[in-house]
Amino acid sequence: MYREWFRLDTAALIFPAIVRSDWCNVFRLSATLNEDIDRDVLQQAVNDLKERFPSFYVTLHRGLFWYYLEQSKEPVTVGEEYVYPLSFMGRAELQKNCMRVLYYKNRIAVEFFHAITDGRGGSIYLKNLVARYITLKYNITVPLTDKILNLDDKPSAEELEDSFFKNSAIASASRSEATAYRLKGTKEPKGYKHLITGILSSDVLLSKAHEYGASVTVFLAAVMARCIIDMQSERVSPKRQKPVKITLPVDLRRLYNSNTIRNFTLVLNIGVDPRFGEYTLQELCNSINHQLHTYATPQYMAGMIASNVFPQKNIAVRLAPLFIKNFVMNTVYKMCGERKGCINISNLGVTTMPEEMSRYVSRMEFIIGNQRSYPNNCSVISCNGKTYINMIRNIKQSELERRFFSKLVELGIAVDIESNRG
Amino acid sequence: MYCVKCGVRLNDGIKKCPLCETPVWVPEDAPEYESLYPDTYPKAYRDSSLAAVTIMTVLCLLAELVVFVVCKNLYGELRWGGYAVLGIPLFYCIVLLPMWFNEPNPVVFIPIDHIATAGYVLYVCVKTGGSWFLSFAFPVIGIACILFTTLACLIKYVQKGWLYIFGGFFILLGGYSMLIEFFEHITFGTDMFRWCLYSVGACSFFGVFLILAAMIKPLRKLLYKRFFI
């Protein structure tokens, strides 16, 4: 199914509007192989995927009323990595390509502009890229399981659909919620990002989470909330404290049985108000668990989808020129997007791959960039029995990371730490 | 190797803990630290808006030159060209100068804009042979500069109590309009209280309303509920 251009999906509409001269919403997935990467083979693999994943090989353009994505005329060129991940992707670059394929030593990384896909869609692309690379390099056949797709097939309409439109409720859920505590620090010079990766045993982490009656995501969110509560109480008087909320992306594919590889995620801001009293870690787990189960339901999420879909159905909104939409979306993003949570924890879960492929892949990583005003962000992925927690920040202070990983160690989970700074 | 403070395990050969900066004792026979990322930095990003500002700057300089040359050739002096020759830098100061910066600080740029405006107005006053600059234009621009700089300063650095800040600002804005009429009265001999009472009334009403909204929580909640985007 060849398409010359794509409308942005519902979740993607916001991303081009909020691009600034030094910030853009990007995320990255990488796979570390057992041997050094062959650039030419990787370039060939990237080229080979173009027909199968047309929605990734696109450029961003302005229409009169909306942004749109067009099939890119320039090839996605494989490049070398930089000293920090997720370097700025400006409008000029987005007009050439909306993703980058990078390599360093034995690692292949893909950095995506969020308007083209979300973490789940990105992981499918990366797995297929690595599978193609291995096929070309080692002349083996990777079986078509674990979301490895047949590159000779045409992309289905379902893969390229905007699933938000299909699953919207008839009434929208309110966006109104309390403003959360904001983490602060001394900004690093333009662009520099610190990345700290905590490597944990998935089994140990899971059994610890189960001790608290929680899933891994809930447990990590509770530990993070505990750290932020402590940091806030040291900096802010009790009366002036604000709710501590963790932004948790919810993959809607599972809820609505969708196969789209474009964006189909919404976020929930879940947390507690420290002014109501002290919370133990167990109480935090319970509270976050209950909130997540209350809201991450097909019904409630359909209401949230509706609040994003309705404006697109309104003729007056559709007819408003793009610069007005940009202004409104920027304002909404400032008021609702980033003020309602302290930090993201985006957990992609366990990434599986065919046995033939996993022999060549030693680890996978998932890194989300900073939000426009949050200084810290956190992303999690599990692969080959290890869980990789990546914490990125654009400030000098590593206070949150130190507290978070020390807390995990305190709870009896051994943590290996790596950093991009050396 | 482990960090003695955080208890986390670190990569071999690393000099200090990335979490707490505690130095790590590295045995002599420890393997060399292998960096996870290369040392190369991305190319310095050049914003497309900076290119636009550069073009606008060149156009401004060109316009200055054209006006200057045309006036010199036609009249042998600047005449009306003076307004344009100084007007272009004024426009540049107010519109283009902040665009060179990623996050222009209004606390710096508001005084710069007012100084540039005062300079331009002084030229107009001298050129037209007026004597109203010191008694009218200077205090009017000066007070506006103090008022708006204070507002910008409070918004930027206090970051709370918005309703009090804007409430106070509107009340002072009302007082400022009265001062404008006062300076007009002593400079041009016009009657007092011709128009300023309307603006004083409107600004004071709005300012007091904002302060009341800041003080009365139910009213604030009601406003938030009604006007939430």
Side-chain angles (χ1 to χ4, degrees), chain A residues 20-22 28 81-85 87-88 90 104-105 107 175-176 190 192 195-196 240 332 335-336 340 367 398 401-402 405-406 409 415-422, chain B residues 2 5-11 14-21 33-43 45-49 102-103 159-160 162 224 227-229:
Chain A
R20 278 173 59 164
S21 61
D22 60 347
R28 157 189 167 123
E81 291 216 49
Y82 298 117
V83 67
Y84 57 86
S87 59
F88 176 59
Y104 179 63
K105 291 183 180 173
R107 182 174 58 214
R175 280 202 177 104
S176 176
K190 204 173 177 180
Y192 191 84
L195 175 75
I196 291 181
R240 292 190 171 278
V332 171
M335 294 182 73
C336 308
K340 311 301 182 189
I367 306 168
S398 55
E401 289 95 322
R402 187 183 64 73
F405 288 119
S406 300
V409 172
V415 181
D416 290 7
I417 288 291
E418 292 178 354
S419 156
N420 67 323
R421 209 186 44 177
Chain B
Y2 287 84
K5 196 171 171 188
C6 306
V8 296
R9 199 168 81 173
L10 303 169
N11 275 6
I14 198 163
K15 297 280 188 311
K16 56 184 177 180
C17 171
L19 297 175
C20 64
E21 310 269 315
Y33 175 69
E34 207 173 311
S35 176
L36 295 172
Y37 284 78
D39 292 331
T40 44
Y41 277 78
K43 277 180 209 153
Y45 169 69
R46 186 142 183 91
D47 188 358
S48 57
S49 66
N102 196 27
E103 283 180 16
Q159 291 194 346
K160 54 187 169 187
W162 306 101
Y224 181 71
F227 296 106
F228 173 77
I229 298 174

Side-chain angles (χ1 to χ4, degrees), chain A residues 160-179:
Chain A
L160 302 177
E161 74 179 9
D162 179 355
S163 290
F164 288 99
F165 263 86
K166 272 171 68 179
N167 298 293
S168 167
I170 51 168
S172 55
S174 169
R175 280 202 177 104
S176 176
E177 55 177 303
T179 304

Side-chain angles (χ1 to χ4, degrees), chain A residues 88-140:
Chain A
F88 176 59
M89 204 182 268
R91 284 193 191 276
E93 186 175 348
L94 293 171
Q95 283 169 8
K96 288 180 186 160
N97 274 307
C98 289
M99 70 168 180
R100 296 180 186 131
V101 180
L102 306 166
Y103 74 99
Y104 179 63
K105 291 183 180 173
N106 54 347
R107 182 174 58 214
I108 298 172
V110 189
E111 297 184 348
F112 302 92
F113 178 42
H114 215 325
I116 62 170
T117 188
D118 56 15
R120 185 69 57 200
S123 74
I124 294 171
Y125 177 83
L126 179 71
K127 277 202 285 190
N128 279 275
L129 178 66
V130 173
R132 183 66 187 156
Y133 175 84
I134 291 168
T135 306
L136 292 172
K137 175 86 178 161
Y138 304 105
N139 204 17
I140 59 151

Side-chain angles (χ1 to χ4, degrees), chain A residues 252-272:
Chain A
L252 301 175
R253 289 172 186 81
R254 285 187 210 165
L255 294 182
Y256 300 107
N257 204 16
S258 165
N259 278 325
T260 185
I261 50 171
R262 301 179 72 190
N263 282 292
F264 197 36
T265 309
L266 279 180
V267 296
L268 289 171
N269 296 307
I270 285 178
V272 294

Side-chain angles (χ1 to χ4, degrees), chain B:
Chain B
M1 284 177 295
Y2 287 84
C3 171
V4 290
K5 196 171 171 188
C6 306
V8 296
R9 199 168 81 173
L10 303 169
N11 275 6
D12 284 339
I14 198 163
K15 297 280 188 311
K16 56 184 177 180
C17 171
L19 297 175
C20 64
E21 310 269 315
T22 304
V24 178
W25 179 76
V26 185
E28 278 177 15
D29 59 346
E32 191 84 345
Y33 175 69
E34 207 173 311
S35 176
L36 295 172
Y37 284 78
D39 292 331
T40 44
Y41 277 78
K43 277 180 209 153
Y45 169 69
R46 186 142 183 91
D47 188 358
S48 57
S49 66
L50 283 187
V53 180
T54 311
I55 293 169
M56 293 289 281
T57 305
V58 173
L59 286 178
C60 284
L61 286 171
L62 212 64
E64 286 267 332
L65 195 70
V66 168
V67 172
F68 190 78
V69 171
V70 166
C71 286
K72 277 286 176 193
N73 282 344
L74 282 179
Y75 318 114
E77 56 177 344
L78 268 179
R79 286 208 193 171
W80 57 265
Y83 298 112
V85 166
L86 285 177
I88 291 167
L90 176 64
F91 164 80
Y92 193 86
C93 270
I94 295 172
V95 179
L96 294 179
L97 193 61
M99 289 167 78
W100 283 107
F101 300 87
N102 196 27
E103 283 180 16
N105 187 345
V107 180
V108 175
F109 280 98
I110 289 173
I112 290 175
D113 292 347
H114 281 86
I115 291 166
T117 310
Y120 187 75
V121 172
L122 176 62
Y123 175 78
V124 173
C125 181
V126 172
K127 190 81 178 168
T128 53
S131 57
W132 43 266
F133 181 77
L134 276 180
S135 59
F136 179 71
F138 181 70
V140 166
I141 295 171
I143 295 169
C145 177
I146 293 167
L147 207 58
F148 284 99
T149 309
T150 310
L151 177 71
C153 206
L154 289 171
I155 290 172
K156 189 167 171 61
Y157 299 113
V158 177
Q159 291 194 346
K160 54 187 169 187
W162 306 101
L163 290 172
Y164 285 110
I165 292 171
F166 279 99
F169 174 74
F170 274 103
I171 291 169
L172 288 174
L173 204 62
Y176 173 61
S177 67
M178 193 183 270
L179 277 176
I180 294 176
E181 196 168 37
F182 171 70
F183 292 124
E184 196 185 340
H185 168 68
I186 58 168
T187 309
F188 305 110
T190 53
D191 293 336
M192 267 305 278
F193 307 119
R194 285 177 301 124
W195 55 268
C196 72
L197 290 181
Y198 299 111
S199 61
V200 170
C203 288
S204 304
F205 175 78
F206 193 56
V208 169
F209 176 75
L210 289 180
I211 290 173
L212 282 176
M215 291 160 66
I216 304 166
K217 207 172 177 183
L219 175 63
R220 203 166 66 232
K221 273 192 169 173
L222 179 79
L223 289 172
Y224 181 71
K225 203 164 66 183
R226 292 272 185 240
F227 296 106
F228 173 77
I229 298 174

Side-chain angles (χ1 to χ4, degrees), chain A residues 18-29:
Chain A
I18 58 173
V19 169
R20 278 173 59 164
S21 61
D22 60 347
W23 179 87
C24 166
N25 202 326
V26 282
F27 67 93
R28 157 189 167 123
L29 281 143

